[in-house]
Amino acid sequence: MRNLVIQHPEVRVPEDVTDSVRYAWKSLRIPVILPLLQLAAILCSGMSLMLFADRVYMAVVIVWVKLMGRKRYTKYNLDALKEDLEISKSYPMVLIQIPMSNEKEVYKLSIGAACGLSWPSDRLIVQVLDDSTNAVLRELVELECHKWKERGVNVKYETRNNQNGYKAGALIEGLEKQYVTDCEFVVIFDADFQPNEDFLWRTIPYLIKNPELGLVQAR
C-alpha cells in the first residue's frame, strides 16, 4: 500500500512590525474595510439625492411664488396691526432675554440694541443673563445695564453661581424670576445679535393676531 503524504499550506508568520501590519491589512481589507466603504458610498449617494430633491423643491416653490405674484406680508398689514395696538393701548408685556458668557466684544452692542427697541417702556423688560467667568467683565456688563436703567429702561441683570445647562440653563432660570410672571411674550436674542429698532413691531403683532402660533423666528 502506497503511503499518502499530506502537505499543509504554509502559514507565514510575520517577522517584524511592518509585516504584522501588512498581514493584518490583507486579512481585514476584504471582509471588513470593503463593506464599510460600500456602506459609506450608499449613504453619500442617499444624502446627495436628498440635497438634490431639496434644491428642486425650493426651485419649484420660488418659481410658483414668482408666477403667482405673491409678496411678503400680503395676509397682514404691519402698519394696520401697529395702528390697532396704538388705538387700543393694549400693549402686551414683553420679556427680552440675552444670555451671555464672556462676551467682551459684543455685550455693549447687544444690550444697547435690545434697550433701544421701539416699544412702550412700561411694557418691556430686558433681562441680561450673565454667565461670565471673568469678574471684571461681569462688573462691566452690570455697569452697562445700570447705565440703561438710568435712562428709563427696565433692565434686569442676573448672574448665577454655576453654569448648569450653560446658556439654555440660564434662560430657564431667568424665566423662573417672579417679575417674569406678567410677561405674555418672550424674545430671545443671542449675545452678538443686534435687532432693528422695529423688531418687536414686526413680530409681536403676528403672535397677537394668530393665537395658534407659538413661535416667530427671525434673523
Side-chain angles (χ1 to χ4, degrees):
M1 184 175 180
R2 300 177 62 182
N3 294 329
L4 296 177
V5 178
I6 301 176
Q7 292 184 345
H8 295 281
E10 180 181 357
V11 178
R12 183 171 179 269
V13 179
E15 297 179 356
D16 53 24
V17 176
T18 303
D19 288 342
S20 298
V21 173
R22 186 181 297 110
Y23 179 77
W25 168 250
K26 289 181 178 179
S27 301
L28 294 176
R29 64 181 179 181
I30 294 179
V32 178
I33 304 300
L34 183 59
L36 291 177
L37 291 176
Q38 291 175 336
L39 177 61
I42 294 173
L43 292 176
C44 290
S45 299
M47 294 178 65
S48 298
L49 289 175
M50 291 174 60
L51 290 173
F52 176 75
D54 179 69
R55 297 296 183 185
V56 171
Y57 171 76
M58 292 301 299
V60 171
V61 170
I62 292 173
V63 171
W64 181 79
V65 170
K66 294 292 185 181
L67 292 177
M68 296 298 293
R70 291 182 175 271
K71 299 179 180 179
R72 296 177 65 189
Y73 312 129
T74 54
K75 188 175 181 181
Y76 298 103
N77 186 292
L78 287 175
D79 293 333
L81 293 176
K82 181 179 179 180
E83 185 177 350
D84 290 343
L85 278 177
E86 291 177 339
I87 293 175
S88 63
K89 301 296 182 182
S90 56
Y91 303 103
M93 195 72 176
V94 178
L95 171 70
I96 296 178
Q97 291 186 302
I98 310 176
M100 58 178 58
S101 178
N102 299 318
E103 312 285 353
K104 180 180 179 180
E105 293 79 10
V106 296
Y107 76 91
K108 283 188 177 182
L109 297 175
S110 58
I111 294 175
C115 293
L117 289 174
S118 174
W119 199 256
S121 59
D122 61 330
R123 309 300 295 169
L124 181 67
I125 299 176
V126 178
Q127 187 184 64
V128 178
L129 305 167
D130 189 10
D131 272 357
S132 299
T133 56
N134 187 309
V136 175
L137 184 55
R138 279 196 175 194
E139 291 182 4
L140 293 174
V141 175
E142 187 175 10
L143 285 173
E144 186 68 17
C145 293
H146 183 70
K147 181 183 73 174
W148 283 100
K149 194 168 186 178
E150 289 182 336
R151 297 181 182 180
V153 181
N154 189 0
V155 182
K156 303 292 186 181
Y157 176 73
E158 304 289 352
T159 60
R160 303 188 295 168
N161 295 325
N162 57 73
Q163 289 187 322
N164 294 339
Y166 300 99
K167 288 187 177 182
L171 290 170
I172 293 173
E173 292 190 24
L175 292 176
E176 296 174 351
K177 302 299 180 181
Q178 183 63 33
Y179 57 81
V180 175
T181 55
D182 295 331
C183 296
E184 300 176 53
F185 297 99
V186 178
V187 181
I188 301 174
F189 292 145
D190 201 3
D192 60 353
F193 183 69
Q194 300 174 46
N196 294 328
E197 184 179 347
D198 62 347
F199 179 88
L200 295 179
W201 287 111
R202 298 172 67 86
T203 52
I204 297 298
Y206 285 104
L207 292 169
I208 295 175
K209 296 296 183 179
N210 297 274
E212 72 277 6
L213 291 181
L215 172 69
V216 171
Q217 184 176 1
R219 62 179 180 177

